[in-house]
C-alpha cells in the first residue's frame, strides 16, 4: 500500500511569487492535514480537510490556503511568498479524524524562498 | 496556551542500552497521543500511539507510558540501535481534528 506522496520534494521560489504543493493521501484515507515545520517553531498546524471541506485552520495568514479534491488529494497554496515561508511543508493523512486515529506523514516539500 | 513540550533537547545513548524520552503536555482534556520519529530529510514516521484510557502500550522494542495525573508521556526504546538516531516528537490531540506537537528531542546513538 503506497504511503503519503508529496510533490515536489524541493522547490525554490522568489519573494512575491506564489506556490502550490500537492499531497496524495494513503488510499482510503479521507482526512488530509498540512503542517509547516521550521527549526524555530517546530511543527505548526496549517489546516485539515475531510471530504473536500476544511474542518479546521491554524493561525496562519490568509496567504496560506488549501483545498481537497473528490479523490481526497489535497493542494496547498501560498501566495505572495515571504522569506519566512521557507520551511518543510508536511502533509498527513488519516482515515477519519486525525485527532484520534493514526496519522501518517509524507516526506514533505522543502520550500526555499529567496 | 496549550502546549506539548519535551524535557531534554538531546539524549546520547550507548548502542544496546535502553532510551527514555519524556514529554509533558498541558491540555488535560487531550485523549490521544502519538510518538513520531523523524530522520534527517524525511517526514515524521508514526511509532506508537496511546489513548487516555490506557497507561501503557507496547510495540516492537518501544513502550509508551501515559501518566494523566501529572500530564506526562514517555517513550522507551529497548536495546537502542544506530538506526534509532533521530528526532522524536510527541503529539497530542488538541481537539478539532488537529495534533499539537512538541519541539522534538534529538536521540544520538553511540556505537
Amino acid at each position: 500500500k503506497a504511503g503519503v506522496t508529496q510533490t515536489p520534494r524541493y522547490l525554490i521560489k522568489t519573494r512575491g511569487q506564489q506556490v502550490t504543493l500537492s499531497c496524495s493521501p494513503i488510499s482510503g484515507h479521507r482526512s488530509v492535514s498540512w503542517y509547516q515545520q521550521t527549526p524555530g517553531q517546530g511543527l505548526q498546524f496549517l489546516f485539515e480537510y475531510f471530504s473536500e471541506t476544511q474542518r479546521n485552520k491554524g493561525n496562519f495568514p490568509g496567504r496560506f490556503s488549501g483545498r481537497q479534491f473528490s479523490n481526497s488529494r489535497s493542494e496547498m497554496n501560498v501566495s505572495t511568498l515571504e522569506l519566512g515561508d521557507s520551511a518543510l511543508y508536511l502533509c498527513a493523512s488519516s482515515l477519519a479524524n486525525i485527532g484520534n486515529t493514526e496519522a501518517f506523514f509524507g516526506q514533505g516539500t522543502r520550500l526555499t524562498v529567496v | 496556551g496549550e502546549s506539548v513540550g519535551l524535557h531534554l533537547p538531546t539524549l546520547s545513548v550507548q548502542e544496546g542500552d535502553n532510551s527514555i524520552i519524556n514529554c509533558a503536555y498541558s491540555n488535560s482534556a487531550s485523549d490521544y497521543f502519538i510518538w513520531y520519529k523523524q530522520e534527517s530529510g524525511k517526514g515524521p514516521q508514526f511509532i506508537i500511539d496511546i489513548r487516555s484510557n490506557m497507561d501503557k502500550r507496547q510495540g516492537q522494542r518501544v513502550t509508551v507510558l501515559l501518566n494523566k495525573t501529572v500530564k506526562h508521556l514517555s517513550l522507551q526504546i529497548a536495546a537502542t540501535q544506530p538506526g534509532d538516531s533521530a528526532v522524536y516528537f510527541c503529539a497530542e490531540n488538541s481537539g478539532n481534528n488537529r495534533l499539537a506537537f512538541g519541539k522534538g528531542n534529538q536521540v544520538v546513538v553511540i556505537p
Side-chain angles (χ1 to χ4, degrees):
Chain A
K1 183 161 146 176
V4 179
T5 304
Q6 291 188 246
T7 56
R9 287 293 310 277
Y10 303 93
L11 209 48
I12 299 175
K13 289 286 188 178
T14 306
R15 271 182 303 175
Q17 288 187 310
Q18 67 95 27
V19 67
T20 299
L21 312 181
S22 178
C23 172
S24 293
I26 293 171
S27 177
H29 284 195
R30 296 170 65 188
S31 171
V32 174
S33 298
W34 289 89
Y35 290 81
Q36 181 196 66
Q37 186 176 28
T38 59
Q41 298 299 316
L43 279 147
Q44 300 285 310
F45 173 79
L46 281 157
F47 25 67
E48 189 257 355
Y49 288 87
F50 182 85
S51 293
E52 302 178 66
T53 299
Q54 185 183 90
R55 294 198 293 191
N56 201 8
K57 190 177 191 303
N59 297 322
F60 279 82
R63 299 185 298 107
F64 292 81
S65 62
R67 59 178 175 170
Q68 187 180 34
F69 301 95
S70 58
N71 62 357
S72 293
R73 190 177 70 85
S74 177
E75 289 181 346
M76 69 161 282
N77 184 277
V78 187
S79 62
T80 320
L81 284 164
E82 300 177 0
L83 295 178
D85 297 332
S86 294
L88 180 67
Y89 289 88
L90 292 159
C91 164
S93 81
S94 63
L95 274 171
N97 296 319
I98 195 169
N100 57 26
T101 58
E102 298 178 14
F104 299 92
F105 282 85
Q107 298 277 51
T109 294
R110 172 72 62 184
L111 172 65
T112 302
V113 182
V114 296
Chain B
E2 299 162 358
S3 65
V4 178
L6 298 174
H7 296 310
L8 300 174
T10 303
L11 173 67
S12 296
V13 59
Q14 203 71 39
E15 181 179 356
D17 287 351
N18 297 334
S19 304
I20 299 177
I21 307 163
N22 296 302
C23 178
Y25 64 95
S26 60
N27 186 353
S28 57
S30 292
D31 58 4
Y32 179 63
F33 305 86
I34 306 177
W35 279 101
Y36 286 95
K37 169 188 179 183
Q38 187 174 27
E39 298 173 272
S40 181
K42 297 184 178 180
Q45 176 188 352
F46 178 95
I47 301 174
I48 192 168
D49 60 358
I50 189 168
R51 300 191 187 280
S52 58
N53 61 352
M54 304 173 70
D55 52 22
K56 180 179 179 179
R57 190 162 189 232
Q58 289 185 287
Q60 187 177 9
R61 282 201 306 118
V62 295
T63 300
V64 56
L65 300 176
L66 175 62
N67 185 330
K68 294 181 288 294
T69 302
V70 296
K71 290 183 283 189
H72 184 268
L73 194 68
S74 69
L75 178 70
Q76 300 176 2
I77 305 173
T80 311
Q81 303 169 358
D84 294 328
S85 292
V87 176
Y88 290 80
F89 295 93
C90 60
E92 66 172 323
N93 168 22
S94 63
N96 295 324
N97 301 303
R98 70 167 74 183
L99 292 172
F101 284 83
K103 292 297 184 185
N105 194 356
Q106 178 79 52
V107 172
V108 177
V109 181
I110 303 165

